[in-house]
Amino acid sequence: MRFPALPVLLAAFLVSCSPAPGAPGQSEASAPAGVQSGGTQSGCLSRAYPEIGGPISLISSTGARVTEADFKGRPTLIYFGFTYCPDVCPMTLTTVAAAYRKLPEGVAAPQTLLISVDPGRDTPEALAAYVANKAFPAGLLGLTGSEAEIRAAADAFKADYSRVEQPGSMADYTMDHTSLLYLMDEDWKLKTFFTHEDTPDTIADCLQQVPAAQSAP
């Protein structure tokens, strides 16, 4: 792992996007304790690790340079993934879209961001085509950048990723990456996170508890 201190719960959600032994779609991982607040057994809005989250500077799928300041003022849901991801990423994004459809009238969905961990292939143009998928959340915005910019963003969120070579495959390589959904509040502070165990129902229920989400734009 790249990080000197990672909560075990984050390390446990480093998924493999290629066939691997063990649980489907999840690689074995462990990490030393270090992040102290929050907890997976708490209520949905008490998973608020202050150590997770930080500044970003990336290029959006519209071609514009954006930072965290562009997303303040409303909740933001962030996912680290990539367009060549065969199953985990599209499944996660369709789950988010289903959760948003369950929100009652008057509750606004967060701005949703897909931060690519594959900047070599995920150009703004490639991301623009990918996020336009009607099965994904409306308004989904893709973000990419240089290798250094992507790594800095991932480090800020204690998210890990790595390139896995696949000789002989059409894609040449895939990316293993942390598969969590990070919910930031209107001040870009972590409000909670969601895992692969969360369903559209549990995500929608939690989003309704976020004060800033109570008035739709």
Side-chain angles (χ1 to χ4, degrees), residues 46-67:
S46 63
R47 301 174 179 179
Y49 293 87
E51 303 90 340
I52 297 175
I56 61 170
S57 181
L58 299 167
I59 303 297
S60 79
S61 46
T62 67
R65 169 71 59 178
V66 296
T67 71

Side-chain angles (χ1 to χ4, degrees), residues 164-169 172-173:
V164 179
E165 300 299 330
Q166 293 184 316
S169 74
D172 294 329
Y173 68 92

Side-chain angles (χ1 to χ4, degrees), residues 58-83:
L58 299 167
I59 303 297
S60 79
S61 46
T62 67
R65 169 71 59 178
V66 296
T67 71
E68 72 282 357
D70 293 288
F71 305 107
K72 289 184 176 181
R74 64 179 289 192
T76 304
L77 193 68
I78 300 168
Y79 185 71
F80 288 84
F82 63 113
T83 63

Side-chain angles (χ1 to χ4, degrees), residues 61-114:
S61 46
T62 67
R65 169 71 59 178
V66 296
T67 71
E68 72 282 357
D70 293 288
F71 305 107
K72 289 184 176 181
R74 64 179 289 192
T76 304
L77 193 68
I78 300 168
Y79 185 71
F80 288 84
F82 63 113
T83 63
Y84 275 67
C85 183
D87 43 30
V88 175
C89 302
M91 287 175 60
T92 300
L93 292 171
T94 55
T95 294
V96 171
Y100 290 173
R101 290 194 295 271
K102 290 179 175 291
L103 293 175
E105 185 176 355
V107 176
Q111 168 66 62
T112 313
L113 304 180
L114 169 64

